[in-house]
């Protein structure tokens, strides 16, 4: 089912009437809009003068809407999710927490291998030699103890942006890192929402395990999907978006992430639905119904 992404970057008063989100803008706009709450999947609040009522907040959370707040620099800094996302939540929590170490290592290997394959597929579109990427993927062992993910990433980022040979992928680095950061934050919110819907615990990862990270599992499962944000950023650069600030036009393009086409198990799905499928497959792996995660395939290279 398609879920809408709503982005607010102007002063607004957000309230609710019946099952509707009511958006009221102050003068000089002075108008009101409504949106069915059941149609919303992700809502981003990117202005310091946005007011949201408690009643609306509760309805959004009850409908499993991921609510993202941005700071004064327009970067996402918080994510609100429901405490209860599934009728069997506690049962699934226990099953997830009791995963064996070999299972977690095997699942992480699957994630890393598909991430590298997806990176290779995107890199192939730039005309670069991708044979090293296949070598790295082939050497991923259980739990990726040899850290082929990082080795592949170093090669990938060295060649991805053709006009910026000095690019370094760093959270606080030079552009286009800010484009990537914003896109990844949206992807992380989508993934966390899907995890909660599947009745799983976002903080209990299969690989990431920082005690300061409330979304370790989201950071695990989003890895093979990052390439779709990378592709969007390449398109932005090729179309002349070189700004050091996140402009409204850039954000409007990045906000299309949930609706991007993704291939999973030979079927084309919107990214937000593909992530749902990945999270559901993880639970089936946890309880022994499946052995493989259903992960996105960027494209087939012949």
């Amino acid at each position: 089912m398609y879920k809408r992404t709503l982005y607010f970057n102007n002063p607004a008063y957000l309230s609710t009437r019946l099952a509707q989100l009511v958006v009221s803008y102050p003068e000089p706009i002075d108008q009101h809009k409504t949106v069915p709450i059941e149609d919303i999947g992700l809502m981003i609040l990117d202005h310091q003068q946005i007011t949201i009522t408690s009643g609306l907040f509760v309805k959004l959370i009850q409908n499993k809407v991921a609510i993202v707040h941005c700071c004064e620099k327009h970067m996402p800094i918080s994510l609100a999710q429901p405490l209860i996302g599934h009728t069997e939540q506690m049962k699934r929590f226990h099953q997830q927490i009791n995963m064996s170490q070999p299972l977690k290592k095997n699942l992480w290997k699957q994630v890393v291998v598909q991430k590298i394959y997806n990176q290779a597929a995107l890199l192939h579109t730039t005309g670069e030699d991708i044979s090293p990427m296949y070598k790295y993927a082939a050497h991923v062992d259980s739990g990726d103890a040899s850290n082929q993910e990082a080795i592949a990433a170093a090669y990938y980022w060295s060649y991805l942006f053709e006009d910026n040979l000095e690019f370094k992928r760093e959270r606080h680095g030079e552009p286009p890192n800010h484009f990537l950061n914003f896109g990844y934050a949206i992807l992380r919110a989508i993934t966390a929402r899907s995890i909660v819907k599947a009745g799983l615990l976002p903080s209990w990862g299969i690989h990431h395990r920082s005690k300061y990270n409330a979304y370790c599992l989201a950071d695990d499962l989003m890895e093979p999907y990052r390439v779709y944000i990378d592709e969007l950023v390449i398109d932005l650069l090729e179309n002349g978006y070189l700004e050091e600030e996140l402009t409204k036009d850039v954000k409007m393009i990045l906000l299309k992430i949930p609706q991007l086409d993704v291939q999973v198990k030979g079927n084309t799905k919107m990214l937000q639905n593909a992530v749902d499928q990945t999270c559901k497959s993880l639970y089936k792996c946890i309880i022994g119904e499946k052995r493989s995660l259903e992960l996105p395939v960027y494209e087939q290279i012949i």
Side-chain angles (χ1 to χ4, degrees):
M1 179 181 177
Y2 169 69
K3 291 288 187 177
R4 296 178 59 180
T5 297
L6 301 183
Y7 174 70
F8 298 94
N9 67 335
N10 290 306
Y13 181 81
L14 309 180
S15 59
T16 183
R17 182 171 60 86
L18 301 177
Q20 302 281 317
L21 160 66
V22 180
V23 185
S24 302
Y25 294 105
E27 296 182 356
I29 301 176
D30 194 22
Q31 61 179 245
H32 306 277
K33 297 180 179 179
T34 61
V35 180
I37 291 175
E38 66 178 0
D39 291 348
I40 307 170
L42 174 63
M43 192 164 80
I44 301 175
L45 309 179
D46 189 12
H47 198 282
Q48 302 300 297
Q49 295 181 39
I50 293 174
T51 300
I52 180 170
T53 67
S54 178
L56 171 61
F57 194 88
V58 169
K59 285 185 180 180
L60 291 170
I61 292 297
Q62 288 174 336
N63 281 271
K64 300 181 178 63
V65 178
I67 306 169
V68 175
H69 289 83
C70 297
C71 66
E72 67 280 359
K73 295 182 179 179
H74 309 291
M75 291 302 298
I77 60 168
S78 75
L79 170 63
Q81 289 274 274
L83 289 175
I84 300 174
H86 195 279
T87 54
E88 295 183 342
Q89 183 164 295
M90 283 307 299
K91 172 186 174 183
R92 295 191 175 204
F93 279 4
H94 283 291
Q95 291 169 324
Q96 178 187 0
I97 291 170
N98 290 324
M99 268 193 295
S100 69
Q101 197 64 24
L103 175 59
K104 288 193 287 186
K105 287 183 176 182
N106 177 267
L107 294 175
W108 180 242
K109 176 182 178 179
Q110 294 179 38
V111 168
V112 171
V113 168
Q114 192 57 56
K115 176 184 179 179
I116 296 174
Y117 280 148
N118 286 351
Q119 289 177 326
L122 179 58
L123 202 57
H124 179 70
T125 66
T126 69
E128 298 295 338
D129 177 19
I130 61 172
S131 58
M133 298 293 286
Y134 280 94
K135 181 181 71 174
Y136 303 142
H139 284 86
V140 176
D141 51 10
S142 179
D144 191 25
S146 58
N147 206 10
Q148 297 298 312
E149 180 194 18
I151 297 170
Y155 184 86
Y156 174 73
W157 290 116
S158 296
Y159 296 102
L160 188 63
F161 300 123
E162 294 179 347
D163 296 329
N164 190 356
L165 299 179
E166 300 301 320
F167 175 79
K168 291 184 179 180
R169 173 62 192 137
E170 296 174 339
R171 183 176 181 182
H172 302 292
E174 297 295 320
N177 276 292
H178 57 327
F179 293 170
L180 294 166
N181 292 342
F182 191 85
Y184 292 157
I186 294 173
L187 175 60
R188 194 180 195 225
I190 294 168
T191 308
R193 177 179 179 273
S194 295
I195 289 168
V196 172
K197 282 179 59 181
L200 299 174
L201 192 61
S203 58
W204 196 265
I206 57 177
H207 175 74
H208 290 88
R209 55 178 60 90
S210 170
K211 66 180 181 180
Y212 304 108
N213 184 358
Y215 295 100
C216 290
L217 186 57
D219 290 339
D220 289 332
L221 298 182
M222 68 183 274
E223 292 293 350
Y225 288 91
R226 286 180 182 265
V227 67
Y228 297 97
I229 285 78
D230 302 343
E231 181 186 33
L232 273 184
V233 172
I234 289 175
D235 291 342
L236 283 169
L237 298 179
E238 290 179 347
N239 285 285
Y241 291 96
L242 304 173
E243 299 90 343
E244 293 192 5
E245 297 294 330
L246 279 163
T247 65
K248 181 178 179 180
D249 288 344
V250 170
K251 289 178 182 177
M252 290 301 103
I253 293 171
L254 293 174
L255 287 171
K256 296 177 182 177
I257 289 169
Q259 286 78 53
L260 293 175
D261 285 341
V262 173
Q263 290 281 330
V264 179
K265 299 287 287 185
N267 297 313
T268 301
K269 297 175 175 285
M270 288 188 295
L271 184 143
Q272 61 184 356
N273 295 335
V275 176
D276 282 347
Q277 185 172 339
T278 295
C279 294
K280 290 176 182 177
S281 73
L282 171 60
Y283 177 67
K284 290 181 179 179
C285 290
I286 291 172
I287 62 176
E289 287 187 7
K290 292 180 66 69
R291 301 187 65 179
S292 300
L293 293 169
E294 296 181 6
L295 299 170
V297 177
Y298 177 71
E299 70 176 4
Q300 296 293 330
I301 299 175
I302 300 175

